[in-house]
Amino acid sequence: MRLDAKTWALLPLAAALNITGGWLTSALKIPLYLDSLGTIWAACLGGPLAGAATALISGLISAAANSPIWLCFLPPALLVGLVAGYLSRQGFMHNLGLAALMGIILGLTAALASAPIAAYVLHGSSGGGTDLVVAAFRLAGLSTLHACLAQSLATDPIDKLISCLLVQSLLTSMPTRLRNSFQNGANLDKMTVSGYLFKPQ
């Protein structure tokens, strides 16, 4: 499916949301990422390609503005965008429970895809707050790969769960007509907030 003009216009804003979340957690040395908020948001509204495109744009901008390290994690970011778009189409944003489950699935996907990159390309050091978690697992006797995998499995599901809950809140706060004007927006019509059907504005 091709992206329409409205979805293309959404991508820069979604990419900025990714960059802001990633910068904030990195600056504060928080052992999370929050750099997929825009990817998940765009994927829910525009579908898998919109999610992947957002991840690509924000990854390239971050690499150019900050560090080429961001390029290493483009494949996992693209995968998260694609999976988020698919899960959203299956109704995983319809309520908070499903959104949380979607976050855990995305977190496990990201963890399994990124751990080998962190271990073999970056030797366990990405410059973010999660480096402290990797170091703790290394001190416990784990190899670099196993430490990176343990760190990813410990933090990625939490990170993506928080991200999906935030995105679900953002989606439900959008006017129904605006939300439905996007390619994937009609799939979000049955969203609920805290167990109550979201009423169109």
Side-chain angles (χ1 to χ4, degrees):
M1 178 186 293
R2 294 182 178 180
L3 302 181
D4 60 13
K6 183 178 285 289
T7 303
W8 278 111
L10 173 71
L11 298 186
L13 181 59
L17 189 57
N18 277 351
I19 294 169
T20 301
W23 173 83
L24 183 63
T25 55
S26 179
L28 298 178
K29 297 297 180 181
I30 299 173
L32 295 172
Y33 307 105
L34 297 184
D35 58 355
S36 297
L37 288 168
T39 294
I40 298 169
W41 184 45
C44 289
L45 290 173
L49 289 181
T54 300
L56 178 62
I57 293 170
S58 57
L60 292 176
I61 292 175
S62 295
N66 300 311
S67 170
I69 286 177
W70 288 91
L71 294 177
C72 299
F73 292 102
L74 270 181
L78 294 172
L79 186 59
V80 166
L82 293 172
V83 175
Y86 173 78
L87 292 178
S88 175
R89 287 180 175 175
Q90 307 311 308
F92 275 76
M93 275 291 169
H94 285 176
N95 59 56
L96 293 176
L98 287 172
L101 178 58
M102 176 173 164
I104 293 173
I105 294 172
L106 293 179
L108 293 175
T109 300
L112 295 175
S114 62
I117 296 173
Y120 294 122
V121 178
L122 303 177
H123 307 291
S125 178
S126 63
T130 55
D131 287 353
L132 297 175
V133 182
V134 173
F137 282 120
R138 288 298 307 278
L139 288 174
L142 296 183
S143 67
T144 301
L145 175 60
H146 289 158
C148 289
L149 181 59
Q151 173 269 307
S152 295
L153 291 174
T155 60
D156 275 333
I158 297 173
D159 173 77
K160 298 302 183 290
L161 185 152
I162 293 172
S163 296
C164 282
L165 293 180
L166 290 173
V167 169
Q168 208 261 1
S169 177
L170 177 60
L171 289 169
T172 55
S173 70
M174 294 176 64
T176 303
R177 182 174 298 179
L178 174 61
R179 196 176 62 233
N180 287 354
S181 67
F182 289 93
Q183 288 174 286
N184 201 49
N187 292 318
L188 304 172
D189 274 347
K190 296 181 180 180
M191 284 196 305
T192 63
V193 183
S194 301
Y196 296 93
L197 184 65
F198 175 70
K199 302 297 183 181
Q201 296 180 8

